[in-house]
Amino acid sequence: MYAQMVDTGVRSVKDAAAMTPEEQAFQARIDADVKVEPKDWMPEHYRRTLIRQIQQHAHSEIVGMLPEGNWVTRAPTLKRKAILMAKIQDEGGHGLYLYSAAETLGVSRDDLIADLHAGRVKYSSIFNYPTLTWADIGAIGWLVDGAAIMNQVPLQRTSYGPYARAMVRICKEESFHQRQGYEIMMHLAQGTPEQKRMAQDALDRWWQPSLMMFGPPDADSVHSAQSMQWKIKLLSNDELRQRFVDQTVPQADYLGLTVPDPQLRWNAERGHYDFGPIDWREFYDVLKGNGPCNRDRIRTRVKAWEDGAWVREAAVAHAEKRAARKAA
Amino acid sequence: MSKEWPLWEVFIRSQHGLAHKHAGSLHAPDAAMAIRNARDVYTRRNEGVSIWVVRSADIVASSPGDREALFEPAQSKVYRHPTFFPMPDEVKHI
Ligand SMILES: [Fe+2]
Ligand SMILES: [Fe+2]
């Protein structure tokens, strides 16, 4: 998802007998849905896994601003531009809520950012695809934010208090994102034939990458069991993906657009849509850094960070000078 | 070498006249910037009419290890709740 393939550092899940008394008490509290708070004792693997997961999630929010930012200056109307800016600003806010949550686990903001810039920690694969037309802004809001909601709603119940509270705040803001995207798609789909073609083309390009957001199939998802026991992951990748397909296909039907999957059909027996295979080679390739925009995204983030350094330093110098004057 | 901006805790009072409530935290070089950043990060949808910020380093918190010592004594004092005193049905407005 926004945090894909988070390494838990453990190969197998411990059963109660193999746990220390401290670990047992910790697991018992999680099982009883008592939130873990920053000062509580926690297993080191739990702490480190959470840092990795929350950090990936935060980086995804921040890097996710870039593909949409690409269209701010070319939004078709002033109203669309104002809406898009508000949406992107929200994503910046989401990143900040999540960085704060990660910092409660004893890491510094600057270290987190350094991890992103050095490529030590990933962000979601989805943000390595380009936004070629205005319709892509519609497709992102509808599909990408739609997939994010699917993942984030259950995370409001995650075991770590600060993370859960950040998710509550984020979820309140997400449905605006999805609706503004769907509304763009509606206008295009109901517009001229050329506009409708544009909407279809965007759906064609964003469909598979959106399905990949949920991460590899459960069978290949080696860290899921531990994350689920810790309740930092609440539903499996395949379960979330299926829910997303079931929810989204009727929305595409309403638009009169065709989901680019010849094997897609309603399975009355299962009560779900069946869908065709996903190209996981592409997913792993994008994660490795070879997506269409990986290098560009990191280059842009690093440049923004470096170009802003003098502002951060000047603000500190100013604050120190004022404090010194007050003390004198 | 740049220094990291200090961390601030943000408290917001909503329109409804309730007490300020913890909203989250953020980094800022000084108090004035912390208020401005809090406005942008935590009140984009009319969430508040008043903001408090305080340096995170200045917050003193109870420790999880003291939970029993601090909070257990209240558990046995059920007579502090009105429901401890059943009232006859005939007695009204009490
Ligand atoms: Fe977001
Ligand atoms: Fe969003």
Side-chain angles (χ1 to χ4, degrees):
Chain A
M1 185 60 240
Y2 270 25
Q4 294 156 327
M5 304 182 68
V6 179
D7 189 344
T8 54
V10 296
R11 291 287 141 236
S12 64
V13 176
K14 283 189 198 172
D15 57 22
M19 290 182 188
T20 64
E22 261 173 331
E23 288 172 335
Q24 279 178 18
F26 176 82
Q27 189 60 48
R29 291 184 58 202
I30 288 186
D31 293 342
D33 283 325
V34 178
K35 294 270 181 267
V36 180
E37 296 296 341
K39 288 181 151 190
D40 295 340
W41 183 87
M42 59 187 87
E44 189 52 22
H45 281 307
Y46 174 86
R47 195 180 71 86
R48 271 191 300 201
T49 304
L50 260 181
I51 292 173
R52 219 168 287 136
Q53 177 170 335
I54 300 174
Q55 182 184 10
Q56 267 196 38
H57 198 153
H59 295 329
S60 299
E61 302 284 354
I62 300 294
V63 176
M65 298 166 82
L66 299 175
E68 294 185 300
N70 183 33
W71 280 88
V72 167
T73 56
R74 288 169 291 157
T77 65
L78 185 58
K79 182 182 123 196
R80 294 280 181 206
K81 182 173 179 164
I83 293 170
L84 181 58
M85 284 198 296
K87 197 266 187 195
I88 295 171
Q89 194 189 7
D90 275 356
E91 305 300 5
H94 296 178
L96 297 180
Y97 309 153
L98 289 160
Y99 284 130
S100 301
E103 285 175 280
T104 63
L105 292 158
V107 283
S108 85
R109 178 84 54 107
D110 283 4
D111 287 344
L112 298 175
I113 289 168
D115 281 347
L116 170 69
H117 293 176
R120 286 188 291 269
V121 176
K122 307 269 180 243
Y123 52 89
S124 176
S125 53
I126 194 75
F127 300 118
N128 291 311
Y129 292 86
T131 42
L132 304 179
T133 73
W134 171 251
D136 290 17
I137 299 304
I140 287 180
W142 171 34
L143 301 173
V144 176
D145 289 84
I149 292 171
M150 211 28 97
N151 177 58
Q152 291 174 158
V153 165
L155 280 177
Q156 293 178 103
R157 293 182 285 114
T158 193
S159 61
Y160 188 58
Y163 191 26
R165 291 190 283 272
M167 285 332 309
V168 168
R169 192 167 274 284
I170 287 174
C171 285
K172 270 191 204 151
E173 301 180 347
E174 285 292 358
S175 72
F176 146 58
H177 299 177
Q178 195 186 15
R179 284 187 180 203
Q180 64 85 35
Y182 193 72
E183 202 226 15
I184 291 173
M185 294 304 271
M186 277 198 299
H187 273 260
L188 293 173
Q190 292 159 5
T192 64
E194 204 184 343
Q195 284 175 312
K196 186 165 180 183
R197 262 200 306 279
M198 219 165 107
Q200 181 63 55
D201 166 65
L203 174 57
D204 289 347
R205 283 181 290 107
W206 289 93
W207 178 252
Q208 278 252 340
S210 298
L211 298 185
M212 291 176 196
M213 285 177 70
F214 297 97
D218 293 349
D220 305 333
S221 189
V222 283
H223 301 289
S224 286
Q226 181 61 73
S227 292
M228 286 183 139
Q229 191 187 48
W230 282 334
K231 293 192 186 166
I232 55 179
K233 179 176 187 145
L234 292 128
L235 296 167
S236 83
N237 296 353
D238 288 333
E239 225 173 322
L240 288 166
R241 190 166 15 247
Q242 181 72 60
R243 284 190 187 190
F244 175 76
V245 171
D246 291 348
Q247 159 188 301
T248 309
V249 171
Q251 294 168 353
D253 291 343
Y254 178 85
L255 294 173
L257 300 179
T258 309
V259 173
D261 179 352
Q263 294 180 44
L264 182 82
R265 63 182 56 80
W266 177 251
N267 182 330
E269 214 172 288
R270 288 203 310 128
H272 293 290
Y273 284 93
D274 292 335
F275 53 97
I278 295 168
D279 182 2
W280 292 108
R281 260 178 335 186
E282 175 178 315
F283 171 74
Y284 288 112
D285 214 37
V286 172
L287 274 197
K288 252 185 254 151
N290 302 321
C293 301
N294 295 58
R295 270 166 282 267
D296 192 52
R297 298 288 184 244
I298 290 297
R299 206 184 304 124
T300 308
R301 282 310 314 154
V302 171
K303 184 178 184 316
W305 180 252
E306 287 174 355
D307 288 354
W310 73 270
V311 179
R312 293 191 300 276
E313 282 159 25
V316 170
H318 178 70
E320 283 173 351
K321 200 171 78 183
R322 296 267 307 247
R325 202 178 294 155
K326 220 170 148 189
Chain B
M1 244 344 276
S2 65
K3 258 189 247 170
E4 197 168 295
W5 289 352
L7 197 63
W8 300 75
E9 299 302 322
V10 178
F11 299 81
I12 308 275
R13 188 173 66 215
S14 66
Q15 280 124 333
H16 315 295
L18 299 174
H20 285 77
K21 192 171 164 235
H22 186 238
S25 49
L26 50 76
H27 287 271
D30 58 28
M33 284 302 293
I35 296 256
R36 278 179 177 231
N37 291 353
R39 197 278 308 262
D40 289 343
V41 179
Y42 292 108
T43 66
R44 288 195 302 281
R45 289 179 176 78
N46 292 316
E47 287 92 338
V49 292
S50 165
I51 301 173
W52 286 352
V53 292
V54 56
R55 291 276 291 254
S56 308
D58 291 337
I59 291 200
V60 181
S62 64
S63 89
D66 294 341
R67 201 175 320 197
E68 286 182 12
L70 288 174
F71 305 116
E72 225 176 55
Q75 280 172 19
S76 57
K77 299 178 180 54
V78 281
Y79 47 81
R80 287 180 173 166
H81 297 279
T83 45
F84 183 76
F85 307 92
M87 289 289 132
D89 283 348
E90 303 89 293
V91 180
K92 305 290 181 204
H93 306 298
I94 185 160

